[in-house]
Amino acid sequence: MADAVITVKDLNYYYPGTKALEDVTFTINKGDITALVGPNGSGKTTMLRTLAGLDTPFSGKIEVANTNVLTDPRQAHTKIGYLSDDFGLYKDLVVKDVLEFIGGCHGLKDQALNDRIKWVTDLLRLEGVFDKKCGALSRGWRQRVGIAMSIVHKPEILLLDEPASGLDPEARAELSAVMLALQAEGITSLVSSHILAELEEYCTSMLVLRNGKIQKHVLLQEHRKTQKASLQITVLGALTEAQNKTVNDVAGQEAVEVSKDDQTTTISIVVDYDHDANHALLKKLISKKIPVCGFTLKEVTLQRLYLETSDIEEGNKP
């Protein structure tokens, strides 16, 4: 594919007595943020390490940004940023010194190094901890510094293994903002995580890995075009018989009452993932004097999509 920045074909990786990855093939397009999900032991970490050129597979092909990872790993490393789940920091060094050291390892020096450190500091909002020792930072700030170390050389591709592990809700929300900021910078990301609700805030696709095999590669925007969604409309008070008929006529279907209290009534209809059409529906309902005070599209969540593609019982953890 012309836009593919990661291409993996027929990838196999074996541990003694175990096929960690088996005939894995997929592509990821430039600018995508792909969620790599699957149960423990499915091969997610092995996948990321082989993509990063840290482990050598038994067979297959890995190409990142037009560079063959297996035959030219050093060149590939200039285009890849990788942050493992158990990454370490130099606890007695301040953040500034860590970034200078890592930048130097990538061949940056003098003004080029200063410019790159400023870029990553501004992007990840590290000014407040710039002169603090890494060992004194909270888990959330250490995670930011880890990401900064991974992208100080401004790679085209970022590989993150469980970046939200151990983060509190506020730090997870900040991580979502960071991922979107990286995407705006043109960085393509592959993120392994068990926290599907957090991934949902920024991912554009989902790669489901089970037993070392790719079970599904879902482009979320394309998937939604083929799906229906529940549109929940909340109105003031109770709908009269005439109002209910108006809603049904405008929607082209019979609305189903979802809930009701002393002040509002919520009804539901099935619609396409077409924001323009749903906006037009809202305008028409208002023009017909329907007292709409809530209008919510209940989209299919990553959790639900994962359970459907994985053919497992809802409630099991991925």
Side-chain angles (χ1 to χ4, degrees):
M1 296 177 62
D3 294 330
V5 72
I6 299 176
T7 301
V8 176
K9 185 173 177 59
D10 299 329
L11 187 66
N12 291 279
Y13 192 101
Y14 303 146
Y15 293 112
T18 303
K19 291 182 179 179
L21 299 173
E22 184 176 359
D23 297 329
V24 169
T25 297
F26 64 90
T27 60
I28 295 177
N29 289 340
K30 183 175 178 58
D32 279 355
I33 305 177
T34 300
L36 178 61
V37 299
N40 290 330
S42 61
K44 299 188 298 297
T45 294
T46 300
M47 169 89 77
L48 292 175
R49 287 184 59 83
T50 57
L51 290 179
L54 300 177
D55 288 339
T56 303
F58 180 79
S59 62
K61 177 183 178 182
I62 306 172
E63 191 172 275
V64 297
N66 299 316
T67 299
N68 191 312
V69 174
L70 304 182
T71 61
D72 198 357
R74 291 199 177 277
Q75 178 63 20
H77 291 162
T78 67
K79 302 180 178 183
I80 296 171
Y82 172 67
L83 185 67
S84 66
D85 182 21
D86 56 351
F87 72 95
L89 293 176
Y90 298 97
K91 295 182 179 180
D92 292 329
L93 292 183
V94 299
V95 172
K96 174 179 178 291
D97 291 340
V98 168
L99 295 180
E100 286 182 349
F101 173 67
I102 298 298
C105 290
H106 285 285
L108 296 170
K109 57 184 179 180
D110 302 330
Q111 191 58 45
L113 176 59
N114 292 333
D115 290 345
R116 197 61 59 80
I117 290 176
K118 185 178 188 311
W119 169 74
V120 78
T121 299
D122 291 344
L123 182 66
L124 298 175
R125 297 192 291 111
L126 295 173
E127 299 91 344
V129 298
F130 201 56
D131 294 315
K132 290 186 177 181
K133 287 187 176 182
C134 292
L137 301 179
S138 68
R139 169 72 178 180
W141 283 111
R142 291 200 304 271
Q143 201 76 6
R144 280 179 179 264
V145 174
I147 294 175
M149 292 165 55
S150 302
I151 66 171
V152 71
H153 59 302
K154 209 167 188 178
E156 296 182 50
I157 296 155
L158 180 60
L159 308 174
L160 299 177
D161 194 359
E162 298 289 347
S165 176
L167 297 186
D168 59 36
E170 184 175 338
R172 286 178 185 169
E174 291 177 348
L175 177 62
S176 297
V178 166
M179 295 306 301
L180 293 173
L182 295 175
Q183 183 186 40
E185 290 285 331
I187 295 175
T188 303
S189 300
L190 180 60
V191 186
S192 166
S193 180
H194 288 89
I195 308 170
L196 297 185
E198 173 257 325
L199 290 171
E200 196 161 22
E201 297 181 10
Y202 53 80
C203 284
T204 59
S205 62
M206 181 172 71
L207 199 61
V208 181
L209 187 66
R210 291 182 69 81
N211 299 319
K213 298 180 180 180
I214 298 296
Q215 186 170 43
K216 195 79 172 178
H217 188 184
V218 183
L219 302 178
L220 299 181
Q221 187 173 8
E222 293 300 316
H223 177 77
R224 284 171 180 147
K225 290 179 181 178
T226 68
Q227 302 297 306
K228 298 290 185 179
S230 171
L231 180 62
Q232 295 194 352
I233 305 168
T234 302
V235 299
L236 293 173
L239 287 174
T240 66
E241 186 175 337
Q243 287 175 323
N244 193 62
K245 182 178 185 307
T246 297
V247 171
N248 293 341
D249 290 344
V250 170
Q253 61 183 283
E254 185 173 346
V256 177
E257 185 175 298
V258 175
S259 62
K260 187 176 183 179
D261 57 33
D262 293 339
Q263 296 181 322
T264 62
T265 301
T266 299
I267 56 178
S268 176
I269 60 174
V270 177
V271 297
D272 294 322
Y273 283 94
D274 185 335
H275 294 298
D276 290 337
N278 294 329
H279 177 242
L281 173 63
L282 174 60
K283 288 177 65 176
K284 197 165 186 179
L285 288 173
I286 293 174
S287 72
K288 296 290 185 180
K289 308 301 182 184
I290 303 299
V292 178
C293 62
F295 197 79
T296 305
L297 187 67
K298 306 292 285 187
E299 301 188 29
V300 176
T301 64
L302 275 184
Q303 175 79 6
R304 180 67 260 171
L305 181 56
Y306 172 82
L307 294 173
E308 289 174 355
T309 58
S310 301
D311 295 324
I312 59 178
E313 298 281 339
E314 184 170 4
N316 288 351
K317 293 183 179 180

